Amino acid sequence: MTKEEAEKLKTEKFDPDKCLELLTKLNENPEIDCEAFCLVLLEFVKIINEMSSALSIAFKDITSKVAILRNNYKVNPEWEGPLIPFIKKEMENKLDILNSENNKKHTKDPKYEKYESSARTVLRMLWFTEFLSIMLARLGTDPKKAASDAAKEAYEKALGPHHPFMLRQAAKVAMLAAPGRKTFNTKLFPTLREDEICIYLVSIEDQIEKFRKPMIKFFKENNLMDLP
């Protein structure tokens, strides 16, 4: 992530129209443009940051995952192109399993000594986007639901099953730090009516699922769901 992007994440407010614009662009390519995917993730960080500082800390690794995805294209410039073909190249070269800790077991190439695969990184971002999708769907279909309740439900379904016990306990506390519904609406949608907010939330959730479900299908078909 560039310094300019880092500063924007600190100062820019979440913009629902920009979010939908980025999601629409991402969904134009079924093979997933990596930079479009990264920009969507960074826009999602703004949602988390607006909700609470505890949640911001809990999801601070999203920006590092964006950096990994971008850097992997620098490591493998000859694989330039969409993300799905890039991951297929990793699989062909048996790089998909690399997580920076197990690399010595699987490769002798010094270029990949600290490599974290895009396959592994995207998998974890699909867990995150499922969390966000569930949370936004809960909020979009129930205008009175507290963000803390929606976040807790989404965490238990999407992220909790992938986390060890101690991390789950810490994450549950972070979910409870999410705001009540009125504060959520005011922070993220300060100029909109309650019904308009629900329309935006459902629309964003719908756009997330348009790319997330096909990507999950690809990961399942290629036995990538359990990358360490």
Side-chain angles (χ1 to χ4, degrees), residues 28 45 61 72 81 100 104 111 125 136 140 162 168 182 200 212 216 221:
E28 289 175 356
V45 169
D61 66 326
N72 285 354
S100 81
K104 289 183 179 180
K111 183 167 77 168
M125 292 301 90
L136 297 181
H162 307 292
R168 286 200 305 273
K182 184 177 180 180
Y200 268 107
R212 197 188 70 80
I216 287 291
E221 290 175 346

Side-chain angles (χ1 to χ4, degrees), residues 3-163:
K3 290 183 179 180
E4 183 180 355
E5 283 177 323
E7 287 302 315
K8 282 185 177 181
L9 283 180
K10 293 178 182 178
T11 59
E12 281 191 358
K13 298 292 185 180
F14 171 71
D15 182 338
D17 289 313
K18 180 181 178 181
C19 184
L20 283 171
E21 181 182 338
L22 290 171
L23 282 164
T24 299
K25 185 175 181 181
L26 173 60
N27 283 317
E28 289 175 356
N29 187 346
E31 292 195 312
I32 307 299
D33 178 83
C34 184
E35 186 57 22
F37 185 61
C38 289
L39 291 175
V40 163
L41 292 174
L42 293 177
E43 194 63 26
F44 289 163
V45 169
K46 295 178 186 177
I47 297 178
I48 299 298
N49 288 348
E50 292 280 5
M51 290 178 67
S52 79
S53 57
L55 279 176
S56 182
I57 292 170
F59 289 102
K60 64 181 180 180
D61 66 326
I62 304 302
T63 54
S64 65
K65 295 292 190 289
V66 167
I68 289 169
L69 291 174
R70 287 171 168 171
N71 186 66
N72 285 354
Y73 276 86
K74 295 177 182 178
V75 175
N76 303 288
E78 68 278 13
W79 297 351
E80 182 180 358
L83 196 48
I84 296 299
F86 188 96
I87 291 173
K88 288 180 179 178
K89 284 288 187 181
E90 287 185 333
M91 293 165 61
E92 290 172 12
N93 290 273
K94 298 181 179 180
L95 301 175
D96 52 294
I97 199 171
L98 301 184
N99 63 13
S100 81
E101 295 180 359
N102 64 2
N103 298 31
K104 289 183 179 180
K105 296 180 182 178
H106 300 287
T107 181
K108 303 297 182 183
D109 190 334
K111 183 167 77 168
Y112 299 113
E113 183 179 2
K114 296 294 183 181
Y115 192 82
E116 292 184 53
S117 76
S118 291
R120 176 185 185 274
T121 303
V122 169
L123 176 62
R124 281 144 179 82
M125 292 301 90
L126 291 176
W127 299 346
F128 167 66
T129 52
E130 182 183 13
F131 161 82
L132 202 64
S133 179
I134 293 171
M135 183 182 72
L136 297 181
R138 297 285 196 274
L139 294 168
T141 54
D142 183 352
K144 302 302 181 185
K145 195 172 193 69
S148 55
D149 291 338
K152 181 182 177 184
E153 292 169 16
Y155 177 81
E156 289 176 351
K157 183 172 181 180
L159 292 172
H162 307 292
H163 290 167

